[in-house]
Amino acid sequence: MENILEVRDLHISFHTYAGEVKAVRGVNFEVKKGETVGIVGESGCGKSVTAQSIMKLLPQPPTQYKQGSILFSGQDLLKKSEKEMQKIRGNDIGMIFQDPMTSLNPTMKTGRQITESLIKHQGMSAGEAHKQAIELLKMVGIPQPDKRANQYPHEFSGGMRQRAMIAIALACRPKLLIADEPTTALDVTIQAQILELMKELQEKTGTSIIIITHDLGVVADMCDRVVVMYAGEVAETGTVDQIFYQPQHPYTKGLLKSVPRLDMKRNEPLAPIIGTPPDLLHPPAGCPFFARCEYAMEVCRNHKPVLEEMGGNHQAACWLHHPLASNRKEEFAQ
Ligand code: SF4
Ligand code: MG
């Protein structure tokens, strides 16, 4: 299937008083039409930065796009001006955030926030846009949409606000929807409803989705493919089944062991990954996971592993897959 998005060799740094923080270092991944891709990893791994870079929402300076490209429908977003990006944001690419209040305008009625975007991007008349806004609020499951359209965001509950934000993000039928921790702030029932809603809307509109999350349950439920990030790099990528049932990177394996699973034996302890990610002011020369990895070998200290094909488009960046590491690899497989 055709790629809607291709991120190639992306490097992003933040310039701080302490020096250059190399937040994203050579990230590659793609999203196909109609597909849902999850980007997972601990906080600070660069997943949100990567997502926001697609919308070019990171202020420059201090952000610097050092290298690489972000091809959206074949066009490099990194070469677009702010004015061109304004046309793309909300129109071709929609974004929903963890906290709806960061993207909803508290001083504007909810309905109007949708109609504005329809008038601006789709050239609708005020009347058409109003009708469409009500339709959208209804579609995301907001009861009494004509009454609700006239209310301000603070008059909505948390779950309703999240729905309103999705309605706004979807108003112009974006080809790509980026959801950064979309349900983290919500209780479990509402979380399930919002995810279900996103799935339904995807079926209706065929939009591609990127979900940024630290929640592997959300990934298992929603995604076709997964990108596991660690310390600003891609550690592993594959289908949900490949990642959950045949993880090839010790970090992925660690992530999976650190969350509760249905097949767990009673009293089986969770195993958190000990230690902290490296300081990206001074990224390590070798494997970024070296200091925390129970399979680390001498080669990992100073030599950076690159993403290697494991079969079936499943890729991992780890020296365990080198023929000379076969004995450690057997240990890992157990
Ligand atoms: Fe561990 Fe070495 Fe693989 Fe890095 S390259 S994850 S340190 S085994
Ligand atoms: Mg984040």
Side-chain angles (χ1 to χ4, degrees), residues 89-90 99-121 129-130 132-134 136-137 148-156 161 163-172:
R89 277 186 217 122
D99 176 12
M101 281 322 240
T102 57
S103 62
L104 292 173
N105 181 341
T107 65
M108 200 191 273
K109 286 180 180 166
T110 311
R112 187 142 161 247
Q113 301 193 40
I114 304 178
T115 54
E116 285 232 319
S117 148
L118 290 169
I119 293 167
K120 182 168 146 213
H121 291 300
H130 182 73
Q132 183 66 18
I134 305 286
L136 278 158
L137 290 174
R148 288 297 193 166
N150 270 317
Q151 290 181 340
Y152 292 93
H154 73 262
E155 297 175 83
F156 284 49
R161 262 181 230 151
R163 285 168 190 267
M165 181 168 57
I166 295 177
I168 294 171
L170 290 174
C172 297

Side-chain angles (χ1 to χ4, degrees), residues 93-309:
I93 307 178
M95 186 148 185
I96 57 183
F97 300 88
Q98 177 175 346
D99 176 12
M101 281 322 240
T102 57
S103 62
L104 292 173
N105 181 341
T107 65
M108 200 191 273
K109 286 180 180 166
T110 311
R112 187 142 161 247
Q113 301 193 40
I114 304 178
T115 54
E116 285 232 319
S117 148
L118 290 169
I119 293 167
K120 182 168 146 213
H121 291 300
Q122 309 268 296
M124 283 189 187
S125 70
E128 275 173 325
H130 182 73
K131 239 168 87 190
Q132 183 66 18
I134 305 286
E135 224 18 75
L136 278 158
L137 290 174
K138 202 157 106 194
M139 185 167 87
V140 298
I142 291 184
Q144 297 179 283
D146 22 4
K147 185 177 144 221
R148 288 297 193 166
N150 270 317
Q151 290 181 340
Y152 292 93
H154 73 262
E155 297 175 83
F156 284 49
S157 68
M160 284 295 159
R161 262 181 230 151
Q162 202 77 4
R163 285 168 190 267
M165 181 168 57
I166 295 177
I168 294 171
L170 290 174
C172 297
R173 301 205 163 221
K175 299 189 189 100
L176 176 64
L177 182 67
I178 302 173
D180 190 356
E181 305 273 7
T183 57
T184 308
L186 303 171
D187 75 50
V188 195
T189 324
I190 298 179
Q191 170 170 340
Q193 288 171 3
I194 297 284
L195 294 176
E196 203 43 54
L197 170 67
M198 283 172 60
K199 271 195 241 172
E200 262 174 49
L201 296 174
Q202 181 176 45
E203 271 164 36
K204 275 188 208 150
T205 61
T207 180
S208 308
I209 301 179
I210 296 178
I211 297 187
I212 319 297
T213 181
H214 63 270
D215 185 337
L216 291 171
V218 170
V219 172
D221 187 25
M222 296 290 289
C223 299
D224 302 304
R225 281 189 312 116
V226 189
V227 177
V228 180
M229 282 188 71
Y230 186 76
E233 298 179 3
V234 176
E236 181 165 4
T237 174
T239 62
V240 166
D241 281 358
Q242 287 166 341
I243 296 293
F244 278 74
Y245 298 113
Q246 296 146 3
Q248 298 296 321
H249 194 288
Y251 176 62
T252 313
K253 207 173 166 185
L255 273 184
L256 290 164
K257 275 205 245 165
S258 66
V259 295
R261 299 181 316 273
L262 281 178
D263 65 346
M264 261 182 151
K265 293 184 199 81
R266 227 173 211 264
N267 301 328
E268 187 180 326
L270 290 175
I273 307 172
I274 309 293
T276 50
D279 174 6
L280 294 181
L281 265 172
H282 310 285
C287 174
F289 195 52
F290 178 76
R292 302 170 82 185
C293 181
E294 57 179 298
Y295 304 95
M297 300 163 283
E298 201 38 48
V299 61
C300 312
R301 185 191 301 273
N302 289 312
H303 299 274
K304 192 195 270 293
V306 294
L307 277 179
E308 299 275 6
E309 180 57 44

